[in-house]
Amino acid sequence: MVLTGFRFSPTDEEVIEILSQKVSGNTSMAAFDFIIQKNIYDFEPQELHGSESTIGLNKNERYYYCRRESDSREVMGRGWWKATSHVKAVSSPNGEVMGYKRPLTFHRFKDNIQGNRKGAIKTDWIMHEYGLQSIHT
């Protein structure tokens, strides 16, 4: 349940801390139950609809936990998430690296021909992928 007036607008450091708590198995994270676990690589971005649990988030903004099973960011033969710049280290206030953040954009295969990245269509969908420094997530 989301409290009236709640707005989720975390810093990169806060996102990494929430991810770290989730990975460590912290069960007191009920306040963040709107962050659901879902394999985002099974869906195109527009298929990742919001629900009543996304109240308090900015429009068109969603948060998901997703374990990457491989280095591939391909989405079920429909397209792929392409890294758009370098990985940014996310550091704690004392300067210790906590994790990383990587921006990605979604590219759709032209004419839905899987594997043909030549002439692919870059969409307006952007994802920020966060990961922990010491744990492969």
Side-chain angles (χ1 to χ4, degrees):
M1 181 175 150
V2 178
L3 300 173
T4 302
F6 173 78
R7 175 69 57 199
F8 189 68
S9 185
T11 63
D12 292 341
E13 294 82 8
E14 290 168 332
V15 171
I16 293 291
E17 182 58 34
I18 293 166
L19 179 59
S20 177
Q21 293 295 315
K22 170 71 173 175
V23 169
S24 68
N26 186 340
T27 57
S28 65
M29 296 186 55
F32 301 109
D33 63 353
F34 56 88
I35 305 175
I36 59 174
Q37 188 153 347
K38 180 179 257 185
N39 185 353
I40 61 171
Y41 301 105
D42 286 346
F43 303 93
E44 285 194 55
Q46 65 272 16
E47 296 172 338
L48 295 168
H49 298 292
S51 66
E52 66 281 346
S53 66
T54 60
I55 296 170
L57 298 178
N58 293 327
K59 184 180 179 184
N60 294 325
E61 187 172 281
R62 306 291 178 266
Y63 290 82
Y64 296 97
Y65 296 114
C66 178
R67 180 179 299 269
R68 285 201 29 220
E69 302 294 331
S70 71
D71 288 337
S72 173
R73 290 190 180 93
E74 189 166 312
V75 177
M76 298 295 291
R78 301 178 199 153
W80 76 99
W81 288 98
K82 180 180 178 182
T84 59
S85 70
H86 298 291
V87 175
K88 173 190 167 195
V90 177
S91 301
S92 66
N94 66 3
E96 181 182 335
V97 175
M98 303 167 61
Y100 68 87
K101 175 182 178 180
R102 177 189 313 256
L104 303 116
T105 56
F106 188 71
H107 293 251
R108 185 171 284 112
F109 291 128
K110 188 174 183 180
D111 301 325
N112 289 327
I113 300 172
Q114 182 178 357
N116 185 9
R117 294 187 178 201
K118 192 172 190 172
I121 301 162
K122 179 181 175 185
T123 69
D124 291 334
W125 291 98
I126 298 171
M127 171 170 61
H128 296 277
E129 178 182 82
Y130 290 86
L132 300 176
Q133 174 66 19
S134 60
I135 302 172
H136 179 70
T137 54

